[in-house]
Amino acid sequence: MTGYVPFNERRHRAHVKLLEAVGRDQRVLDAGCSSGYLAEPLSQRGNTIVGIELDAEAAREAERWCERVLVGDIETMELPLEPASFDVVLCGDIIEHLRDPTRVLARLRPFLRPGGRLVVSTPNIANWAMRLSLLAGRWRYTDRGFLDRTHVHLFTRQTLVEGVEAAGYRVERVDFTVPVPGDSDALDAAGLALGRLRPTLFAYQWVLLAQTAS
């Protein structure tokens, strides 16, 4: 099992924003649950989690905090889940790895109860650093970051909203992160303040909250 990051407790970073969007005492479908780095703090908040994970070794780790973990490719596997049985579908940093993310989001929608929520995080490919790289003629895939070699789809704010809406959801809010190097909440807060001047340029990650469309 390689390539998995630990939970980041910084309050202005994406992991904490995802937890806040999910809330407490919910039944959560964690799509792409990895080794359970989000499932663990979610369970500590009284949530019940069912995970879906491609990597069998990571899935075994996640089972410590999940009611069950389904192992397989979320785009093609059978999903033996009851309709309208979840309060939240959580897609933390998974849709950029999918061949057809809109289809997958639409596939997960029937498992949400009426009024249920979709919570998504994904990188902002229109971030200033990527724009500068393109101006300089650079587009190099790496082990991590925007151009992670496993990324298949890349999103701007607009294309993320369009994809979620096409999957049958109504977007309620699009939050974002502007992480600053180091472990300072104060610096991250300053980064967010700058980001609010032009989120589409400064956002590092989008954190989107949507509901099932009526």
Side-chain angles (χ1 to χ4, degrees):
M1 181 178 65
T2 60
Y4 296 103
V5 297
F7 180 76
N8 191 315
E9 296 180 348
R10 300 258 68 87
R11 64 190 182 95
H12 298 299
R13 304 286 177 102
H15 292 169
V16 171
K17 287 179 179 287
L18 290 172
L19 295 189
E20 292 173 346
V22 170
R24 295 178 178 272
D25 303 317
Q26 305 292 299
R27 185 165 175 80
V28 182
L29 179 59
D30 187 354
C33 65
S34 181
S35 58
Y37 68 96
L38 289 175
E40 181 179 7
L42 283 171
S43 66
Q44 292 167 353
R45 295 179 174 211
N47 296 291
T48 302
I49 305 105
V50 173
I52 304 173
E53 174 55 38
L54 178 63
D55 186 313
E57 184 180 352
R60 285 194 293 272
E61 290 288 318
E63 285 176 348
R64 291 184 289 173
W65 300 285
C66 295
E67 179 180 88
R68 61 192 290 214
V69 179
L70 306 176
V71 180
D73 183 343
I74 195 171
E75 300 202 62
T76 58
M77 65 188 292
E78 292 186 16
L79 296 174
L81 301 168
E82 291 294 323
S85 59
F86 292 93
D87 302 299
V88 181
V89 166
L90 172 61
C91 295
D93 292 343
I94 181 178
I95 62 171
E96 62 270 20
H97 299 275
L98 302 177
R99 296 179 295 276
D100 191 343
T102 296
R103 179 179 175 274
V104 170
L105 293 178
R107 190 179 188 215
L108 296 175
R109 181 167 43 84
F111 302 119
L112 278 171
R113 64 170 176 76
R117 287 169 286 146
L118 171 71
V119 178
V120 175
S121 65
T122 195
N124 171 32
I125 196 57
N127 177 270
W128 65 271
M130 293 307 306
R131 299 189 194 201
L132 284 180
S133 292
L134 282 172
L135 284 173
R138 292 193 300 269
W139 184 273
R140 295 185 183 278
Y141 288 94
T142 58
D143 292 330
R144 292 189 183 277
F146 295 112
L147 296 180
D148 184 312
R149 291 181 177 86
T150 64
H151 288 177
V152 178
H153 276 82
L154 302 169
F155 296 89
T156 65
R157 185 188 190 281
Q158 181 176 344
T159 57
L160 174 61
V161 169
E162 289 172 352
V164 170
E165 290 179 342
Y169 300 87
R170 182 180 68 256
V171 174
E172 292 191 336
R173 183 174 77 246
V174 182
D175 198 357
F176 60 93
T177 69
V178 186
V180 176
D183 291 322
S184 169
D185 283 335
L187 286 176
D188 282 347
L192 275 176
L194 174 64
R196 291 189 185 99
L197 298 176
R198 192 175 177 187
T200 55
L201 178 64
F202 293 109
Y204 181 80
Q205 275 186 302
W206 301 116
V207 180
L208 177 146
L209 177 64
Q211 283 193 340
T212 52
S214 56

